[in-house]
Amino acid sequence: MSSNELAENAVREESEREGTGGSPRRRTLLIAGIALLGCVGLAGYGFLGTDEQPEPRTASTAEVTYEVTGTGTVEISYLARGGTGTATVERAVTLPWTKSVQAPLGKAPAVAIVLDEKGGQASCTLAIRDRHVQRATATGAFGRATCTGGTQARQE
């Protein structure tokens, strides 16, 4: 073989090695690097999650109806033990008054009444799922009454 032929064979072998990724060791490192990159990408995706947020669990609730009847003007505080746990207060309410709310199961809804200085007579009632739970009566100036009850899971 002439020196030109040897040089051409060497160039051909070199370009074949470059076209196939070089030496077997180099190819192994390249494949390992790609596999590692894929694993890191999947781990990152799992760690960071997606933009979708899981649906919040909704607590089971029961309908609670507060009712205040009678004569006079009252201040009414009612509680369904919802998100904040604070009472809602309505002042100088002329009777009759009714309010329905959704209360979480296992919590105790409550309604309290206070007559004004002129007095009178007023009764509060509490019904859970249309079932009467409690009744209380307030009389006279600044008379007070409170009705409470527990919301239990429905017994079928």
Side-chain angles (χ1 to χ4, degrees), residues 49 66 72 91 120 133:
Y66 302 118
R91 292 176 169 67
V133 175

Side-chain angles (χ1 to χ4, degrees), residues 14-80:
E14 183 66 29
S15 57
E16 282 177 9
R17 258 191 246 133
E18 288 175 3
T20 60
S23 69
R25 183 171 183 220
R26 192 174 203 188
R27 269 185 272 155
T28 303
L29 287 175
L30 181 63
I31 291 170
I34 292 171
L36 180 63
L37 217 78
C39 289
V40 168
L42 286 174
Y45 178 77
F47 178 73
L48 296 175
T50 63
D51 289 340
E52 295 177 25
Q53 296 297 321
E55 293 288 324
R57 293 177 76 182
T58 56
S60 296
T61 60
E63 183 178 34
V64 175
T65 302
Y66 302 118
E67 184 176 10
V68 181
T69 57
T71 61
T73 304
V74 296
E75 178 179 283
I76 302 171
S77 303
Y78 60 94
L79 187 61

Side-chain angles (χ1 to χ4, degrees), residues 7 12 24 29 38 43 49 57 66 77 82 87-88 105-107 110 115 123 127 130 132 139 144 151-152:
R12 192 177 320 123
L29 287 175
R57 293 177 76 182
Y66 302 118
S77 303
T88 300
L105 295 178
K107 303 294 182 177
L115 290 160
S123 295
D130 294 324
H132 175 77
T139 58
R144 298 170 183 267
T151 54
Q152 301 299 316

Side-chain angles (χ1 to χ4, degrees), residues 72-125:
T73 304
V74 296
E75 178 179 283
I76 302 171
S77 303
Y78 60 94
L79 187 61
R81 303 240 189 239
T84 63
T86 59
T88 300
V89 179
E90 295 189 21
R91 292 176 169 67
V93 176
T94 304
L95 302 178
W97 175 90
T98 302
K99 181 76 171 186
S100 292
V101 298
Q102 291 295 317
L105 295 178
K107 303 294 182 177
V111 60
I113 57 174
V114 179
L115 290 160
D116 66 9
E117 67 277 353
K118 294 178 188 170
Q121 181 175 348
S123 295
C124 63
T125 58

